[in-house]
Amino acid sequence: MTPGNHSECDPLLRTADEGDCHEIAERLNRGCQCISLDHERLRAELERDPRDGALLATINATRPHLFADSVVFVAAPQFERIAEIVAAVERVVATAAWQAAVLESAPANARIHSAAAGAFLGYDFHLSPEGPRLIEINTNAGGGLLNVALARAQRACCAEVEPLRAMVSEGSPSDPERAFIEMFREEWRAMRGDAPLRTIAIVDQEPQSQYLLPEFLLFQRLFERCGCAAYICDPTALRFEGGRLRLDGQEIDLVYNRLTDFDLDEPQSAALAAAWREQAAVITPHPRAHALFADKRNLVLLGDDAFLEGCGIDSRTRAILTEGVPQTRKVRPEDAETLWRERRELFFKPATGFGSRAAYRGDKLTRSTFESILAGDYIAQRLVPPSARRLSVSGEPTDLKMDLRVYAYRGQVQFAAARLYRGQTTNFRTPGGGFAAVVALPCAQP
């Protein structure tokens, strides 16, 4: 299809039942070749602050596969089911039985209570023909503001894209940027009430070398527009002095934590860990949130109907989760023979891993890698193949794998984005791939 030439889809979209809606999304993902990304508009979104005048040029030079040029299409009922799964997880995690079970073996820092829920949960899904399947949950999920800018920069090449632009436009009731800043304010209010929020530190190890540094800059500017002083720093630049967390002598009120030291137990996180233990600063996301939501071993329990029933979880919530979470088990050496025999149907992930590091499709495993998995702390998840998006890359039709990330807070979905890639796991090294804006295809009501 060419830009603006989707009119033949309009009658189908107006009259589709749920099954047709899924079919149309698949047809568009296979056939729509629109280049919908307006690079000039993207530049304007990324460079709203004069200090960032070369940000897009820097991204293009150093991160050429961060953004895809086209959108992906998802049937609205898939989103509705995703929202149900997110809400179901939140209900389970809120129970005392769940917290007792997962915190029993958690590190000491994760057992510290906080009224702050933890910002930026990312729920990652594969979209199977039977419905969305929750692959994993992440704290400090990256890409939120980058994807808002990407969605705002879409050219309305067809009627289906126009509602996306309206939804994410600045100042609209559904503006995700507004939801993100309100999330941080809620984290602050939960712990500090009506006290003024003055200073925010965005913390990651060697932030200037991080792939998502452009997003740190976007958050710094957003916090500044909301009246806060905002800094980007390495955790070693922080000091815990006089019962306060400080950066170059400046007291820090809130930390937007982007570290992958989830438990704050590495030496470079010492000041942050001390402030966490004393609750001297609002740290979000924090070790407790990671233990409750994002430890990969939790997926074993989320899909275990008997365990959930023992926690007092209602039947509807259990049904949503046992369907929406692929069967997952802990990898144990005594199960080696069974796991090897069934490996082609499994995906292996380190229990405390992140960013797809050391994760393996079972059908790609060598014996030596399998032995290292048995010796490590791994889970094995029933393989749910990702759906596909066909795009023209360098003039050639190319099938890219697709997963869907939704950002959520306190059980409510805030925003969704896709990642397009080739290979075993998501990456930002694929020509034509990267983050992609998501268009929800509505279905006619009966």
Side-chain angles (χ1 to χ4, degrees), residues 201-207 210 232-240 245-247 255 257-261 264 266-273:
I202 303 161
V203 180
D204 203 353
Q205 187 173 6
E206 299 180 356
Q210 292 292 332
I232 300 169
C233 71
D234 186 277
T236 58
L238 296 168
R239 298 289 182 269
F240 186 62
L245 187 66
R246 301 181 189 277
L247 175 65
V255 171
N257 176 23
R258 295 292 293 250
L259 290 167
T260 54
D261 173 17
L264 301 181
E266 296 178 4
Q268 62 265 29
S269 304
L272 203 55

PDB file of all heavy atoms in Angstrom, residues 201-207 210 232-240 245-247 255 257-261 264 266-273:
ATOM      1  N   ALA A 201      16.753  13.618  40.644  1.00  0.00           N
ATOM      2  CA  ALA A 201      17.951  13.072  40.004  1.00  0.00           C
ATOM      3  C   ALA A 201      17.559  11.858  39.165  1.00  0.00           C
ATOM      4  O   ALA A 201      16.874  10.957  39.657  1.00  0.00           O
ATOM      5  CB  ALA A 201      18.990  12.669  41.050  1.00  0.00           C
ATOM      6  N   ILE A 202      17.970  11.849  37.908  1.00  0.00           N
ATOM      7  CA  ILE A 202      17.800  10.706  37.011  1.00  0.00           C
ATOM      8  C   ILE A 202      19.108   9.937  37.069  1.00  0.00           C
ATOM      9  O   ILE A 202      20.158  10.450  36.650  1.00  0.00           O
ATOM     10  CB  ILE A 202      17.498  11.172  35.579  1.00  0.00           C
ATOM     11  CG1 ILE A 202      16.247  12.060  35.572  1.00  0.00           C
ATOM     12  CG2 ILE A 202      17.334   9.986  34.635  1.00  0.00           C
ATOM     13  CD1 ILE A 202      16.123  12.927  34.332  1.00  0.00           C
ATOM     14  N   VAL A 203      19.081   8.724  37.614  1.00  0.00           N
ATOM     15  CA  VAL A 203      20.312   8.030  37.990  1.00  0.00           C
ATOM     16  C   VAL A 203      20.481   6.747  37.174  1.00  0.00           C
ATOM     17  O   VAL A 203      19.583   5.901  37.134  1.00  0.00           O
ATOM     18  CB  VAL A 203      20.309   7.697  39.493  1.00  0.00           C
ATOM     19  CG1 VAL A 203      21.589   6.963  39.889  1.00  0.00           C
ATOM     20  CG2 VAL A 203      20.164   8.971  40.324  1.00  0.00           C
ATOM     21  N   ASP A 204      21.651   6.631  36.546  1.00  0.00           N
ATOM     22  CA  ASP A 204      22.046   5.390  35.897  1.00  0.00           C
ATOM     23  C   ASP A 204      23.561   5.335  35.883  1.00  0.00           C
ATOM     24  O   ASP A 204      24.241   6.364  36.009  1.00  0.00           O
ATOM     25  CB  ASP A 204      21.501   5.297  34.471  1.00  0.00           C
ATOM     26  CG  ASP A 204      21.405   3.862  33.974  1.00  0.00           C
ATOM     27  OD1 ASP A 204      21.882   2.939  34.686  1.00  0.00           O
ATOM     28  OD2 ASP A 204      20.852   3.649  32.880  1.00  0.00           O
ATOM     29  N   GLN A 205      24.088   4.137  35.738  1.00  0.00           N
ATOM     30  CA  GLN A 205      25.536   3.968  35.701  1.00  0.00           C
ATOM     31  C   GLN A 205      26.090   4.556  34.411  1.00  0.00           C
ATOM     32  O   GLN A 205      25.624   4.246  33.312  1.00  0.00           O
ATOM     33  CB  GLN A 205      25.889   2.488  35.807  1.00  0.00           C
ATOM     34  CG  GLN A 205      27.365   2.214  35.954  1.00  0.00           C
ATOM     35  CD  GLN A 205      27.658   0.759  36.224  1.00  0.00           C
ATOM     36  OE1 GLN A 205      26.756  -0.082  36.197  1.00  0.00           O
ATOM     37  NE2 GLN A 205      28.906   0.431  36.506  1.00  0.00           N
ATOM     38  N   GLU A 206      27.070   5.444  34.545  1.00  0.00           N
ATOM     39  CA  GLU A 206      27.693   6.106  33.402  1.00  0.00           C
ATOM     40  C   GLU A 206      26.630   6.562  32.400  1.00  0.00           C
ATOM     41  O   GLU A 206      26.593   6.122  31.241  1.00  0.00           O
ATOM     42  CB  GLU A 206      28.700   5.171  32.733  1.00  0.00           C
ATOM     43  CG  GLU A 206      29.842   4.756  33.647  1.00  0.00           C
ATOM     44  CD  GLU A 206      30.834   3.832  32.966  1.00  0.00           C
ATOM     45  OE1 GLU A 206      30.594   3.440  31.794  1.00  0.00           O
ATOM     46  OE2 GLU A 206      31.854   3.504  33.582  1.00  0.00           O
ATOM     47  N   PRO A 207      25.744   7.456  32.807  1.00  0.00           N
ATOM     48  CA  PRO A 207      24.594   7.802  31.966  1.00  0.00           C
ATOM     49  C   PRO A 207      24.966   8.341  30.591  1.00  0.00           C
ATOM     50  O   PRO A 207      24.221   8.135  29.623  1.00  0.00           O
ATOM     51  CB  PRO A 207      23.857   8.861  32.796  1.00  0.00           C
ATOM     52  CG  PRO A 207      24.863   9.371  33.773  1.00  0.00           C
ATOM     53  CD  PRO A 207      25.752   8.216  34.074  1.00  0.00           C
ATOM     54  N   GLN A 210      24.970   5.557  28.110  1.00  0.00           N
ATOM     55  CA  GLN A 210      23.797   4.701  27.998  1.00  0.00           C
ATOM     56  C   GLN A 210      23.095   4.890  26.655  1.00  0.00           C
ATOM     57  O   GLN A 210      22.975   6.002  26.145  1.00  0.00           O
ATOM     58  CB  GLN A 210      22.815   4.988  29.135  1.00  0.00           C
ATOM     59  CG  GLN A 210      23.307   4.572  30.511  1.00  0.00           C
ATOM     60  CD  GLN A 210      23.402   3.066  30.656  1.00  0.00           C
ATOM     61  OE1 GLN A 210      22.670   2.321  30.005  1.00  0.00           O
ATOM     62  NE2 GLN A 210      24.306   2.615  31.525  1.00  0.00           N
ATOM     63  N   ILE A 232      21.034  14.642  35.788  1.00  0.00           N
ATOM     64  CA  ILE A 232      21.349  13.293  35.315  1.00  0.00           C
ATOM     65  C   ILE A 232      22.709  12.931  35.902  1.00  0.00           C
ATOM     66  O   ILE A 232      23.668  13.685  35.734  1.00  0.00           O
ATOM     67  CB  ILE A 232      21.403  13.242  33.778  1.00  0.00           C
ATOM     68  CG1 ILE A 232      20.056  13.656  33.178  1.00  0.00           C
ATOM     69  CG2 ILE A 232      21.796  11.847  33.299  1.00  0.00           C
ATOM     70  CD1 ILE A 232      20.093  13.875  31.680  1.00  0.00           C
ATOM     71  N   CYS A 233      22.786  11.793  36.597  1.00  0.00           N
ATOM     72  CA  CYS A 233      24.055  11.491  37.261  1.00  0.00           C
ATOM     73  C   CYS A 233      24.283   9.989  37.418  1.00  0.00           C
ATOM     74  O   CYS A 233      23.352   9.193  37.371  1.00  0.00           O
ATOM     75  CB  CYS A 233      24.137  12.174  38.625  1.00  0.00           C
ATOM     76  SG  CYS A 233      23.045  11.478  39.879  1.00  0.00           S
ATOM     77  N   ASP A 234      25.540   9.652  37.626  1.00  0.00           N
ATOM     78  CA  ASP A 234      25.961   8.310  38.009  1.00  0.00           C
ATOM     79  C   ASP A 234      25.698   8.134  39.509  1.00  0.00           C
ATOM     80  O   ASP A 234      25.784   9.103  40.269  1.00  0.00           O
ATOM     81  CB  ASP A 234      27.455   8.158  37.717  1.00  0.00           C
ATOM     82  CG  ASP A 234      27.958   6.744  37.939  1.00  0.00           C
ATOM     83  OD1 ASP A 234      28.262   6.393  39.098  1.00  0.00           O
ATOM     84  OD2 ASP A 234      28.050   5.998  36.949  1.00  0.00           O
ATOM     85  N   PRO A 235      25.370   6.921  39.961  1.00  0.00           N
ATOM     86  CA  PRO A 235      25.102   6.747  41.394  1.00  0.00           C
ATOM     87  C   PRO A 235      26.290   7.105  42.288  1.00  0.00           C
ATOM     88  O   PRO A 235      26.101   7.492  43.438  1.00  0.00           O
ATOM     89  CB  PRO A 235      24.720   5.270  41.518  1.00  0.00           C
ATOM     90  CG  PRO A 235      25.288   4.618  40.301  1.00  0.00           C
ATOM     91  CD  PRO A 235      25.203   5.653  39.233  1.00  0.00           C
ATOM     92  N   THR A 236      27.516   6.996  41.761  1.00  0.00           N
ATOM     93  CA  THR A 236      28.679   7.310  42.586  1.00  0.00           C
ATOM     94  C   THR A 236      28.814   8.807  42.856  1.00  0.00           C
ATOM     95  O   THR A 236      29.578   9.209  43.737  1.00  0.00           O
ATOM     96  CB  THR A 236      29.968   6.804  41.914  1.00  0.00           C
ATOM     97  OG1 THR A 236      30.095   7.406  40.615  1.00  0.00           O
ATOM     98  CG2 THR A 236      29.946   5.292  41.766  1.00  0.00           C
ATOM     99  N   ALA A 237      28.079   9.628  42.109  1.00  0.00           N
ATOM    100  CA  ALA A 237      28.109  11.070  42.362  1.00  0.00           C
ATOM    101  C   ALA A 237      27.236  11.468  43.549  1.00  0.00           C
ATOM    102  O   ALA A 237      27.338  12.590  44.045  1.00  0.00           O
ATOM    103  CB  ALA A 237      27.665  11.831  41.111  1.00  0.00           C
ATOM    104  N   LEU A 238      26.382  10.562  44.003  1.00  0.00           N
ATOM    105  CA  LEU A 238      25.486  10.849  45.121  1.00  0.00           C
ATOM    106  C   LEU A 238      26.195  10.624  46.449  1.00  0.00           C
ATOM    107  O   LEU A 238      27.079   9.765  46.557  1.00  0.00           O
ATOM    108  CB  LEU A 238      24.243   9.961  45.041  1.00  0.00           C
ATOM    109  CG  LEU A 238      23.344  10.174  43.817  1.00  0.00           C
ATOM    110  CD1 LEU A 238      22.330   9.047  43.704  1.00  0.00           C
ATOM    111  CD2 LEU A 238      22.629  11.524  43.905  1.00  0.00           C
ATOM    112  N   ARG A 239      25.797  11.379  47.459  1.00  0.00           N
ATOM    113  CA  ARG A 239      26.303  11.225  48.816  1.00  0.00           C
ATOM    114  C   ARG A 239      25.121  11.181  49.770  1.00  0.00           C
ATOM    115  O   ARG A 239      24.131  11.894  49.591  1.00  0.00           O
ATOM    116  CB  ARG A 239      27.217  12.403  49.196  1.00  0.00           C
ATOM    117  CG  ARG A 239      28.461  12.543  48.339  1.00  0.00           C
ATOM    118  CD  ARG A 239      29.463  11.435  48.631  1.00  0.00           C
ATOM    119  NE  ARG A 239      30.687  11.591  47.840  1.00  0.00           N
ATOM    120  CZ  ARG A 239      30.882  11.050  46.640  1.00  0.00           C
ATOM    121  NH1 ARG A 239      29.904  10.310  46.090  1.00  0.00           N
ATOM    122  NH2 ARG A 239      32.010  11.224  45.997  1.00  0.00           N
ATOM    123  N   PHE A 240      25.255  10.331  50.785  1.00  0.00           N
ATOM    124  CA  PHE A 240      24.252  10.309  51.852  1.00  0.00           C
ATOM    125  C   PHE A 240      24.900  10.942  53.078  1.00  0.00           C
ATOM    126  O   PHE A 240      25.743  10.343  53.726  1.00  0.00           O
ATOM    127  CB  PHE A 240      23.795   8.878  52.147  1.00  0.00           C
ATOM    128  CG  PHE A 240      22.669   8.803  53.137  1.00  0.00           C
ATOM    129  CD1 PHE A 240      21.444   9.378  52.852  1.00  0.00           C
ATOM    130  CD2 PHE A 240      22.825   8.174  54.364  1.00  0.00           C
ATOM    131  CE1 PHE A 240      20.392   9.317  53.752  1.00  0.00           C
ATOM    132  CE2 PHE A 240      21.792   8.107  55.271  1.00  0.00           C
ATOM    133  CZ  PHE A 240      20.570   8.685  54.974  1.00  0.00           C
ATOM    134  N   LEU A 245      20.040  12.682  51.015  1.00  0.00           N
ATOM    135  CA  LEU A 245      20.725  12.309  49.784  1.00  0.00           C
ATOM    136  C   LEU A 245      21.106  13.583  49.054  1.00  0.00           C
ATOM    137  O   LEU A 245      20.255  14.472  48.840  1.00  0.00           O
ATOM    138  CB  LEU A 245      19.806  11.447  48.906  1.00  0.00           C
ATOM    139  CG  LEU A 245      20.448  10.844  47.650  1.00  0.00           C
ATOM    140  CD1 LEU A 245      21.518   9.815  48.016  1.00  0.00           C
ATOM    141  CD2 LEU A 245      19.376  10.193  46.774  1.00  0.00           C
ATOM    142  N   ARG A 246      22.378  13.698  48.656  1.00  0.00           N
ATOM    143  CA  ARG A 246      22.854  14.944  48.062  1.00  0.00           C
ATOM    144  C   ARG A 246      23.648  14.678  46.785  1.00  0.00           C
ATOM    145  O   ARG A 246      24.305  13.642  46.642  1.00  0.00           O
ATOM    146  CB  ARG A 246      23.730  15.712  49.057  1.00  0.00           C
ATOM    147  CG  ARG A 246      23.012  16.058  50.358  1.00  0.00           C
ATOM    148  CD  ARG A 246      23.900  16.837  51.310  1.00  0.00           C
ATOM    149  NE  ARG A 246      23.271  16.976  52.623  1.00  0.00           N
ATOM    150  CZ  ARG A 246      22.371  17.902  52.942  1.00  0.00           C
ATOM    151  NH1 ARG A 246      22.015  18.800  52.021  1.00  0.00           N
ATOM    152  NH2 ARG A 246      21.844  17.948  54.151  1.00  0.00           N
ATOM    153  N   LEU A 247      23.591  15.660  45.887  1.00  0.00           N
ATOM    154  CA  LEU A 247      24.374  15.669  44.664  1.00  0.00           C
ATOM    155  C   LEU A 247      25.085  17.013  44.586  1.00  0.00           C
ATOM    156  O   LEU A 247      24.426  18.061  44.475  1.00  0.00           O
ATOM    157  CB  LEU A 247      23.472  15.475  43.439  1.00  0.00           C
ATOM    158  CG  LEU A 247      24.143  15.569  42.069  1.00  0.00           C
ATOM    159  CD1 LEU A 247      25.141  14.432  41.873  1.00  0.00           C
ATOM    160  CD2 LEU A 247      23.098  15.567  40.949  1.00  0.00           C
ATOM    161  N   VAL A 255      14.431  10.395  43.308  1.00  0.00           N
ATOM    162  CA  VAL A 255      15.333   9.741  42.357  1.00  0.00           C
ATOM    163  C   VAL A 255      14.502   8.936  41.367  1.00  0.00           C
ATOM    164  O   VAL A 255      13.728   8.054  41.766  1.00  0.00           O
ATOM    165  CB  VAL A 255      16.323   8.813  43.088  1.00  0.00           C
ATOM    166  CG1 VAL A 255      17.115   7.976  42.076  1.00  0.00           C
ATOM    167  CG2 VAL A 255      17.267   9.618  43.964  1.00  0.00           C
ATOM    168  N   ASN A 257      15.007   6.201  39.200  1.00  0.00           N
ATOM    169  CA  ASN A 257      16.045   5.171  39.226  1.00  0.00           C
ATOM    170  C   ASN A 257      16.038   4.360  37.940  1.00  0.00           C
ATOM    171  O   ASN A 257      15.107   3.601  37.680  1.00  0.00           O
ATOM    172  CB  ASN A 257      15.807   4.270  40.436  1.00  0.00           C
ATOM    173  CG  ASN A 257      16.762   3.101  40.506  1.00  0.00           C
ATOM    174  OD1 ASN A 257      17.849   3.151  39.942  1.00  0.00           O
ATOM    175  ND2 ASN A 257      16.358   2.054  41.194  1.00  0.00           N
ATOM    176  N   ARG A 258      17.091   4.485  37.132  1.00  0.00           N
ATOM    177  CA  ARG A 258      17.211   3.716  35.903  1.00  0.00           C
ATOM    178  C   ARG A 258      18.285   2.629  36.003  1.00  0.00           C
ATOM    179  O   ARG A 258      18.638   1.993  35.013  1.00  0.00           O
ATOM    180  CB  ARG A 258      17.549   4.653  34.727  1.00  0.00           C
ATOM    181  CG  ARG A 258      16.457   5.657  34.392  1.00  0.00           C
ATOM    182  CD  ARG A 258      15.232   4.997  33.817  1.00  0.00           C
ATOM    183  NE  ARG A 258      15.491   4.418  32.516  1.00  0.00           N
ATOM    184  CZ  ARG A 258      15.008   4.887  31.362  1.00  0.00           C
ATOM    185  NH1 ARG A 258      14.226   5.942  31.353  1.00  0.00           N
ATOM    186  NH2 ARG A 258      15.289   4.297  30.224  1.00  0.00           N
ATOM    187  N   LEU A 259      18.787   2.393  37.204  1.00  0.00           N
ATOM    188  CA  LEU A 259      19.838   1.402  37.395  1.00  0.00           C
ATOM    189  C   LEU A 259      19.320  -0.019  37.156  1.00  0.00           C
ATOM    190  O   LEU A 259      18.164  -0.336  37.472  1.00  0.00           O
ATOM    191  CB  LEU A 259      20.395   1.475  38.814  1.00  0.00           C
ATOM    192  CG  LEU A 259      21.227   2.704  39.171  1.00  0.00           C
ATOM    193  CD1 LEU A 259      21.417   2.775  40.681  1.00  0.00           C
ATOM    194  CD2 LEU A 259      22.574   2.660  38.464  1.00  0.00           C
ATOM    195  N   THR A 260      20.199  -0.868  36.660  1.00  0.00           N
ATOM    196  CA  THR A 260      19.888  -2.295  36.598  1.00  0.00           C
ATOM    197  C   THR A 260      20.448  -3.035  37.812  1.00  0.00           C
ATOM    198  O   THR A 260      20.376  -4.266  37.869  1.00  0.00           O
ATOM    199  CB  THR A 260      20.433  -2.913  35.304  1.00  0.00           C
ATOM    200  OG1 THR A 260      21.833  -2.627  35.173  1.00  0.00           O
ATOM    201  CG2 THR A 260      19.688  -2.357  34.096  1.00  0.00           C
ATOM    202  N   ASP A 261      20.990  -2.309  38.763  1.00  0.00           N
ATOM    203  CA  ASP A 261      21.299  -2.857  40.084  1.00  0.00           C
ATOM    204  C   ASP A 261      19.997  -2.805  40.879  1.00  0.00           C
ATOM    205  O   ASP A 261      19.783  -1.938  41.714  1.00  0.00           O
ATOM    206  CB  ASP A 261      22.401  -2.022  40.749  1.00  0.00           C
ATOM    207  CG  ASP A 261      22.661  -2.435  42.190  1.00  0.00           C
ATOM    208  OD1 ASP A 261      22.239  -3.559  42.569  1.00  0.00           O
ATOM    209  OD2 ASP A 261      23.265  -1.637  42.935  1.00  0.00           O
ATOM    210  N   LEU A 264      20.022  -2.591  44.677  1.00  0.00           N
ATOM    211  CA  LEU A 264      20.887  -1.542  45.250  1.00  0.00           C
ATOM    212  C   LEU A 264      21.923  -2.151  46.203  1.00  0.00           C
ATOM    213  O   LEU A 264      22.184  -1.610  47.277  1.00  0.00           O
ATOM    214  CB  LEU A 264      20.051  -0.479  45.986  1.00  0.00           C
ATOM    215  CG  LEU A 264      18.991   0.255  45.152  1.00  0.00           C
ATOM    216  CD1 LEU A 264      18.269   1.287  46.012  1.00  0.00           C
ATOM    217  CD2 LEU A 264      19.613   0.908  43.919  1.00  0.00           C
ATOM    218  N   GLU A 266      25.126  -3.176  44.970  1.00  0.00           N
ATOM    219  CA  GLU A 266      26.468  -3.041  44.442  1.00  0.00           C
ATOM    220  C   GLU A 266      27.158  -1.828  45.070  1.00  0.00           C
ATOM    221  O   GLU A 266      26.489  -0.865  45.468  1.00  0.00           O
ATOM    222  CB  GLU A 266      26.417  -2.910  42.920  1.00  0.00           C
ATOM    223  CG  GLU A 266      25.863  -4.161  42.239  1.00  0.00           C
ATOM    224  CD  GLU A 266      25.752  -4.021  40.728  1.00  0.00           C
ATOM    225  OE1 GLU A 266      26.180  -2.962  40.210  1.00  0.00           O
ATOM    226  OE2 GLU A 266      25.231  -4.956  40.090  1.00  0.00           O
ATOM    227  N   PRO A 267      28.494  -1.848  45.186  1.00  0.00           N
ATOM    228  CA  PRO A 267      29.202  -0.765  45.884  1.00  0.00           C
ATOM    229  C   PRO A 267      28.894   0.622  45.345  1.00  0.00           C
ATOM    230  O   PRO A 267      28.785   1.585  46.126  1.00  0.00           O
ATOM    231  CB  PRO A 267      30.677  -1.132  45.665  1.00  0.00           C
ATOM    232  CG  PRO A 267      30.677  -2.613  45.479  1.00  0.00           C
ATOM    233  CD  PRO A 267      29.412  -2.936  44.757  1.00  0.00           C
ATOM    234  N   GLN A 268      28.730   0.758  44.038  1.00  0.00           N
ATOM    235  CA  GLN A 268      28.480   2.083  43.475  1.00  0.00           C
ATOM    236  C   GLN A 268      27.116   2.646  43.859  1.00  0.00           C
ATOM    237  O   GLN A 268      26.864   3.841  43.691  1.00  0.00           O
ATOM    238  CB  GLN A 268      28.626   2.067  41.948  1.00  0.00           C
ATOM    239  CG  GLN A 268      27.645   1.156  41.229  1.00  0.00           C
ATOM    240  CD  GLN A 268      28.235  -0.206  40.946  1.00  0.00           C
ATOM    241  OE1 GLN A 268      29.106  -0.689  41.684  1.00  0.00           O
ATOM    242  NE2 GLN A 268      27.793  -0.833  39.869  1.00  0.00           N
ATOM    243  N   SER A 269      26.235   1.799  44.389  1.00  0.00           N
ATOM    244  CA  SER A 269      24.898   2.254  44.791  1.00  0.00           C
ATOM    245  C   SER A 269      24.809   2.528  46.288  1.00  0.00           C
ATOM    246  O   SER A 269      23.704   2.684  46.821  1.00  0.00           O
ATOM    247  CB  SER A 269      23.848   1.201  44.407  1.00  0.00           C
ATOM    248  OG  SER A 269      23.889   0.910  43.029  1.00  0.00           O
ATOM    249  N   ALA A 270      25.931   2.623  46.977  1.00  0.00           N
ATOM    250  CA  ALA A 270      25.927   2.692  48.439  1.00  0.00           C
ATOM    251  C   ALA A 270      25.117   3.879  48.966  1.00  0.00           C
ATOM    252  O   ALA A 270      24.312   3.731  49.894  1.00  0.00           O
ATOM    253  CB  ALA A 270      27.359   2.763  48.958  1.00  0.00           C
ATOM    254  N   ALA A 271      25.311   5.059  48.404  1.00  0.00           N
ATOM    255  CA  ALA A 271      24.588   6.234  48.900  1.00  0.00           C
ATOM    256  C   ALA A 271      23.089   6.091  48.641  1.00  0.00           C
ATOM    257  O   ALA A 271      22.255   6.423  49.497  1.00  0.00           O
ATOM    258  CB  ALA A 271      25.119   7.495  48.233  1.00  0.00           C
ATOM    259  N   LEU A 272      22.750   5.586  47.468  1.00  0.00           N
ATOM    260  CA  LEU A 272      21.334   5.397  47.131  1.00  0.00           C
ATOM    261  C   LEU A 272      20.705   4.360  48.051  1.00  0.00           C
ATOM    262  O   LEU A 272      19.569   4.539  48.525  1.00  0.00           O
ATOM    263  CB  LEU A 272      21.236   4.961  45.672  1.00  0.00           C
ATOM    264  CG  LEU A 272      19.923   5.215  44.937  1.00  0.00           C
ATOM    265  CD1 LEU A 272      19.528   6.667  45.010  1.00  0.00           C
ATOM    266  CD2 LEU A 272      20.054   4.755  43.488  1.00  0.00           C
ATOM    267  N   ALA A 273      21.439   3.281  48.328  1.00  0.00           N
ATOM    268  CA  ALA A 273      20.920   2.243  49.218  1.00  0.00           C
ATOM    269  C   ALA A 273      20.708   2.780  50.629  1.00  0.00           C
ATOM    270  O   ALA A 273      19.709   2.450  51.280  1.00  0.00           O
ATOM    271  CB  ALA A 273      21.879   1.051  49.247  1.00  0.00           C
TER     272      ALA A 273
END
